[in-house]
Structures are given as structure tokens and as C-alpha cells.
Amino acid sequence: MALTACSDGGDSGDGPDGGATSSAAPGASAGTGPDGDAGGSPSAGAAGDLEGSWLATKDGQAVALMVNGGKAALFATGGTVCSGTTAEASGARTIRLTCTGSDERTAGKVEEAGPASLTVVWEGGLGEETYQRSEGGSLPPGLPTAGLGS
């Protein structure tokens, strides 16, 4: 009998309203409906926006930042290799890294995380750095990987 009740609920959802709800959900997930996300849980939206691969160019150097869960990694031309964590404290999202090659990006605060760009303010002299989301969630070919151990 429970299946019949579910079937009746499914029949009701097959109407035009059910289809509109399904169409709206992917748009909200893609970040086209930020008002809906902000009303629910702003920190959850910010955490989701931070996930993925990000690319930037700073002073002629290519910089790749990858975030997966609470883990972060950063690679920059010139030999900088970093790994660390992301966390949220007092409503601010932070990135803490341990690096070889340079210590310019060991601690940063996420200023803005959107569907297409990410702005991090690094402590020390480096300051603000804006990243663009990598297409397809992967790094472009040709980034220097010598010394990464892979």
C-alpha cells in the first residue's frame, strides 16, 4: 500500500508544477539563484562555491588552487607547491597552507566565492588574488608539474 501512496504522489507531481520545480532546482545549484541559497544557509553556499579548481595569474606566474572538502592544494610556476586545509570560523572562510618554494600564500581569507570566480586575500605582502573557476573541474594542460612527485 505504501507504494500505491507514493505512486499517487508521483502522479500529482507529474503535472506542470512538478516539472517547474525540477527545472528550478538545477539552476539554483548552478548558482543562478543565489537569493534562494542565501535564505537557507549562507555558509553552506559559500563552502560549496569554494569547491573545485581555480586558476589565476599573478605577476606573470600561473597559480592553480584546488579545494576538495576541507582540503586545499596550490601550485604556482616557479616551484611553489602547497597543501593544507580550509575552514570556517566566525562566518569567515579561511585557507591555511604549508608551502615549499614560497611562503606568500600560507594564510588567506576568502573574500568572495561565486560560481565563476574566487577572491582570496592572502596575509602578508601578496594581498588580494582573484581566481577563475577551471572549466570542467580540471586543470588545463601544460602547467608545470616538475618536482610534484607525480
Side-chain angles (χ1 to χ4, degrees), residues 31-146:
T32 58
D35 293 339
D37 293 340
S41 174
S43 60
D49 286 344
L50 188 58
E51 295 282 324
S53 299
W54 302 92
L55 304 173
T57 303
K58 180 81 169 192
D59 297 331
Q61 288 190 343
V63 182
L65 172 65
M66 288 151 287
V67 178
N68 186 11
K71 304 287 184 186
L74 185 139
F75 306 92
T77 53
T80 300
V81 178
C82 309
S83 64
T85 60
T86 64
E88 188 165 342
S90 304
R93 190 88 173 160
T94 59
I95 300 172
R96 301 273 178 211
L97 302 171
T98 302
C99 301
T100 60
S102 172
D103 61 358
E104 291 180 318
R105 296 175 181 94
T106 57
K109 177 183 162 199
V110 175
E111 193 69 25
E112 183 178 341
S117 66
L118 168 70
T119 302
V120 179
V121 178
W122 297 104
E123 293 179 6
L126 190 61
E128 185 176 292
E129 195 165 50
T130 300
Y131 298 82
Q132 300 302 312
R133 186 176 295 276
S134 175
E135 290 296 320
S138 62
L139 295 175
L143 283 179
T145 57

